[in-house]
């Protein structure tokens, strides 16, 4: 009897949750022949799943490739694949890099098994970029629904991502995503439901629906006459459908673009306890002048109106956001409007970035670029304010009792279980038994900027 030994696969994932979901899917599709390994030096196949959102992200890819080149000396059969948004955007340049064997764009990740086989059997480089025109059939969507391995501490069988939509049609003037991930294509509600159901049957308690622009989910299907939606719209219909899954304890979704975030979606937070009390709603800037230049299609006032809808539906809701400083043309006064918006909304936390010019995007060609040192200074001031608010908001949790879904056991602190409250705050609780997968009431006893601590009640 010959025993078939699996080869070793090492995956490094940068960037957004969609990349994490793609990495999980790639690992799943390759799981017949490969098992995951933590050390790149031991791998037979390395996948770098890359990000291209800011310039730094691409530099990281090239420097990492330099390090990985050493492992090829030891293992000449090692296959190095570059996937993700840098593969799509910098394909030509990356193919010239002698250490790259395979390029896979985000639109082609489902073909990873065939592509790896082709790369192994050839000394030519393989490149699979671009976007297939056709949406996958229900059967193809179901192929890989279950054997998803765990890629990190917090990403495990308890909390799963389900991609509901590829690409983005918004063309915000700073953003490379429409170029690296292509047009908006929605998966069918049945495919989404089946994937979520399979995860729940395999032990998932939380599902996060993913897309660049989830609120416009399904509008393409309605337009093509492939889907009939209620008057609340296809995304609200989808949320109701997935929320009906027996056994599911938490349903989240991201990214929610304020542009097509509607009142019926906000109202679902009142109706559906599964949706929790948290939403990530990227605003980018507090200045109407800058928002207009960014082509965000939503004014400061319209953003605040959405916040009001959400607070009316769910008074205890917490919000997080994305912010860009130093967008071309941003004046000191414009920047201060961002500070004032942050102070007004009091986001639970926010990701703040310096504007980074990206090839192909209109804003990169604007003549009014802001000097680097001004961007650095604004980022520092913004982060100071954000940190202060995050800490103050976390301290308000002290003494409260919160419902926490436990997701994993801390590797660092033995006997400590980590979960998220409905408000999406990280909560750490010591316990003598395994709490993972349970949703329990916790009294908050300690608050820092990054986490809460508590005891079971
Ligand atoms: N689909 C999401 C955003 C995806 S990109 C949305 O609707 O907003 C994630 C975040 O990266 C953005 O929200 C933005 O804050 C930041 N970002 C995108 N392009 C950027 C650039 N060129 N420079 C700096 N930050 C950028
Ligand atoms: Fe980018 Fe705007 Fe789409 S930020 S992902 S173009 S909504």
């Amino acid at each position: 009897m010959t025993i078939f030994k699996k080869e070793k696969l090492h995956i490094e994932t940068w960037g957004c949750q969609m990349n994490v979901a793609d990495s999980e899917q790639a690992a799943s599709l390759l799981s017949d022949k490969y098992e995951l390994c933590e050390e790149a030096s031991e791998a037979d196949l390395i996948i770098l799943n890359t990000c291209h959102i800011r310039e730094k992200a691409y530099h990281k890819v090239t420097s990492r490739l330099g390090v990985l080149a050493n492992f090829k000396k030891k293992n000449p059969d090692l296959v190095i694949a570059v996937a993700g948004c840098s593969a799509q955007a910098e394909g030509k340049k990356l193919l010239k890099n002698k250490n790259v064997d395979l390029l896979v764009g985000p639109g082609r990740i489902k073909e990873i098994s065939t592509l790896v086989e082709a790369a192994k059997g050839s000394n030519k480089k393989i490149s699979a970029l671009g976007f297939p025109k056709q949406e996958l059939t229900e059967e193809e969507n179901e192929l890989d629904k279950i054997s998803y391995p765990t890629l990190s501490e917090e990403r495990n069988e308890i909390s799963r991502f389900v991609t509901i939509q590829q690409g983005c049609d918004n063309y915000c003037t700073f953003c490379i995503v429409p170029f690296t991930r292509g047009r908006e294509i929605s998966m069918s509600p049945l495919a989404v439901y089946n994937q979520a159901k399979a995860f729940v049957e395999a032990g998932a308690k939380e599902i996060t629906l993913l897309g660049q622009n989830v609120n416009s989910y399904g509008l393409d299907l309605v337009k093509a006459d492939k889907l009939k939606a209620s008057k609340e719209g296809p995304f609200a219909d989808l949320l109701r459908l997935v929320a009906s899954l027996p056994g599911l304890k938490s349903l989240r979704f991201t990214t929610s673009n304020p542009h097509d975030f509607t009142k019926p979606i906000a109202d679902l937070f009142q109706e559906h306890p599964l949706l929790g009390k948290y939403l990530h709603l990227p605003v980018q800037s507090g200045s109407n002048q800058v928002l207009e230049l960014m082509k965000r299609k939503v004014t400061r006032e319209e953003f605040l109106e959405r916040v009001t809808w959400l607070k009316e539906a769910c008074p205890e809701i917490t919000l997080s956001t994305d912010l860009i400083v130093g967008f071309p043309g941003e004046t000191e006064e414009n920047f201060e409007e961002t500070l004032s918006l942050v102070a007004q909304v009091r986001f639970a936390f926010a990701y703040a970035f310096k504007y980074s010019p990206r090839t192909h995007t209109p804003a990169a060609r604007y003549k009014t670029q802001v000097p680097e040192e001004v961007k650095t200074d604004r980022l520092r001031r913004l982060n100071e304010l954000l940190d202060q608010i995050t800490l103050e908001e976390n301290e308000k949790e002290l003494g409260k009792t919160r419902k926490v879904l436990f997701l994993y056991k801390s590797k660092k602190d033995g006997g400590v279980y980590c979960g998220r409250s409905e408000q999406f705050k990280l909560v750490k609780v010591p316990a003598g038994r395994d709490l993972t997968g349970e949703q329990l009431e916790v009294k908050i006893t300690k608050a820092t900027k990054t986490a809460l601590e508590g005891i079971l009640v």
Side-chain angles (χ1 to χ4, degrees):
M1 195 175 74
T2 52
I3 298 174
F4 171 71
K5 196 163 167 290
K6 286 190 182 182
E7 292 192 80
K8 289 201 158 48
L9 163 64
H10 174 78
I11 305 188
E12 295 179 15
T13 310
W14 299 311
C16 64
Q17 284 122 320
M18 301 217 61
N19 260 14
V20 176
D22 287 351
S23 287
E24 288 176 356
Q25 190 173 43
S28 165
L29 290 166
L30 291 163
S31 62
D32 283 351
K33 294 200 176 138
Y34 289 89
E35 61 186 16
L36 288 169
C37 69
E38 271 184 31
E39 297 299 326
S41 57
E42 289 166 15
D44 303 292
L45 167 64
I46 297 175
I47 301 177
L48 298 183
N49 199 357
T50 62
C51 174
H52 207 62
I53 201 82
R54 285 164 291 274
E55 205 178 350
K56 256 202 225 148
Y58 178 62
H59 289 158
K60 230 166 125 177
V61 183
T62 46
S63 72
R64 188 66 185 141
L65 281 168
V67 175
L68 298 180
N70 294 318
F71 305 140
K72 281 209 166 187
K73 287 182 202 144
K74 203 179 79 185
N75 176 6
D77 294 331
L78 170 64
V79 173
I80 299 182
V82 179
C85 289
S86 282
Q88 180 61 39
E90 299 288 353
K92 270 200 194 124
K93 267 198 239 163
L94 284 166
L95 277 181
K96 286 194 195 131
N97 185 313
K98 66 176 187 328
N99 299 310
V100 175
D101 304 297
L102 170 61
L103 276 184
V104 196
R108 307 284 298 271
I109 198 77
K110 292 206 178 222
E111 298 163 45
I112 189 80
S113 301
T114 334
L115 294 168
V116 166
E117 282 311 303
K120 272 167 71 176
S122 130
N123 40 25
K124 276 206 304 246
K125 291 173 192 281
I126 309 281
S127 160
L129 303 176
F131 308 93
K133 295 225 166 21
Q134 282 298 307
E135 194 193 334
L136 291 166
T137 62
E138 306 288 0
E139 293 75 41
E140 282 169 313
N141 263 314
E142 284 201 31
L143 275 181
D144 48 274
K145 64 187 178 191
I146 238 353
S147 59
Y148 280 54
T150 297
L151 290 174
S152 69
E153 197 175 29
E154 192 162 355
R155 303 285 333 133
N156 58 24
E157 64 284 356
I158 307 294
S159 177
R160 289 299 196 186
F161 287 147
V162 175
T163 301
I164 66 167
Q165 170 199 57
Q166 308 281 354
C168 182
D169 284 347
N170 272 320
Y171 291 95
C172 301
T173 58
F174 53 81
C175 185
I176 191 97
V177 169
F179 302 92
T180 59
R181 288 195 171 258
R183 298 291 67 70
E184 235 166 78
I185 301 175
S186 302
M187 315 296 143
S188 78
L190 185 65
V192 173
Y193 181 81
N194 284 343
Q195 174 89 72
K197 182 164 172 268
F199 279 146
V200 172
E201 282 167 359
K205 304 293 177 204
E206 174 171 81
I207 296 287
T208 303
L209 304 178
L210 292 184
Q212 292 297 343
N213 202 14
V214 289
N215 302 312
S216 69
Y217 166 82
L219 297 176
D220 54 337
L221 300 176
V222 171
K223 210 167 141 196
D225 249 347
K226 288 186 189 164
L227 179 68
K228 292 230 177 322
S230 76
K231 64 177 192 315
E232 294 181 334
F235 184 54
D237 295 348
L238 184 77
L239 286 174
R240 282 182 199 284
L241 178 69
V242 181
S244 72
L245 272 170
L248 188 64
K249 292 181 177 164
S250 167
L251 174 61
R252 302 192 188 269
F253 55 89
T254 200
T255 304
S256 207
N257 189 308
H259 167 235
D260 33 30
F261 186 80
T262 58
K263 186 139 188 330
I265 300 175
D267 288 342
L268 283 178
F269 280 88
Q270 180 169 29
E271 190 186 315
H272 252 295
L274 246 60
L275 289 186
K277 297 174 178 172
Y278 164 74
L279 184 69
H280 183 66
L281 198 60
V283 63
Q284 314 299 355
S285 168
S287 148
N288 280 335
Q289 210 175 322
V290 174
L291 288 169
E292 168 91 40
L293 289 170
M294 289 176 164
K295 291 226 176 357
R296 284 292 286 183
K297 298 183 250 179
V298 173
T299 61
R300 176 187 175 113
E301 293 71 30
E302 284 164 337
F303 180 82
L304 288 170
E305 182 187 33
R306 281 143 182 81
V307 173
T308 308
W309 292 341
L310 284 160
K311 296 240 150 139
E312 278 168 6
C314 178
E316 288 191 314
I317 201 159
T318 61
L319 300 171
S320 59
T321 199
D322 292 345
L323 297 158
I324 295 178
V325 299
F327 185 81
E330 185 190 67
T331 62
E332 172 62 23
E333 213 179 14
N334 297 150
F335 169 66
E336 282 168 17
E337 289 174 284
T338 297
L339 294 178
S340 82
L341 182 81
V342 165
Q344 185 174 348
V345 180
R346 296 188 66 83
F347 296 103
F349 65 95
Y351 301 104
F353 310 104
K354 284 195 260 185
Y355 168 70
S356 168
R358 312 308 289 127
T359 322
H360 306 305
T361 62
R365 296 188 292 269
Y366 293 172
K367 296 276 181 289
T368 46
Q369 301 294 325
V370 172
E372 193 58 30
E373 61 277 14
V374 176
K375 288 189 213 174
T376 305
D377 184 58
R378 287 182 188 165
L379 183 65
R380 180 189 55 76
R381 286 158 64 200
L382 177 58
N383 274 330
E384 267 173 26
L385 177 63
L386 288 168
D387 286 353
Q388 181 199 330
I389 293 174
T390 299
L391 179 62
E392 286 168 5
E393 290 301 305
N394 281 355
E395 283 172 344
K396 284 187 193 161
E397 296 293 291
L398 285 170
K400 290 193 177 146
T401 298
R402 294 298 195 195
K403 214 154 88 180
V404 176
L405 175 61
F406 288 93
L407 300 168
Y408 60 98
K409 184 178 176 175
S410 168
K411 272 191 191 152
K412 265 203 335 244
D413 319 309
V416 171
Y417 289 84
C418 302
R420 297 254 172 208
S421 68
E422 289 178 288
Q423 282 82 358
F424 200 64
K425 292 183 192 280
L426 180 64
V427 183
K428 299 180 179 178
V429 173
R433 63 180 180 92
D434 185 2
L435 303 181
T436 47
E438 290 187 50
Q439 196 170 33
L440 300 166
E441 302 274 328
V442 172
K443 186 168 175 180
I444 307 302
T445 54
K446 193 177 164 191
T448 67
K449 203 190 83 190
T450 47
L452 304 176
E453 290 174 26
I455 47 169
L456 294 178
V457 291

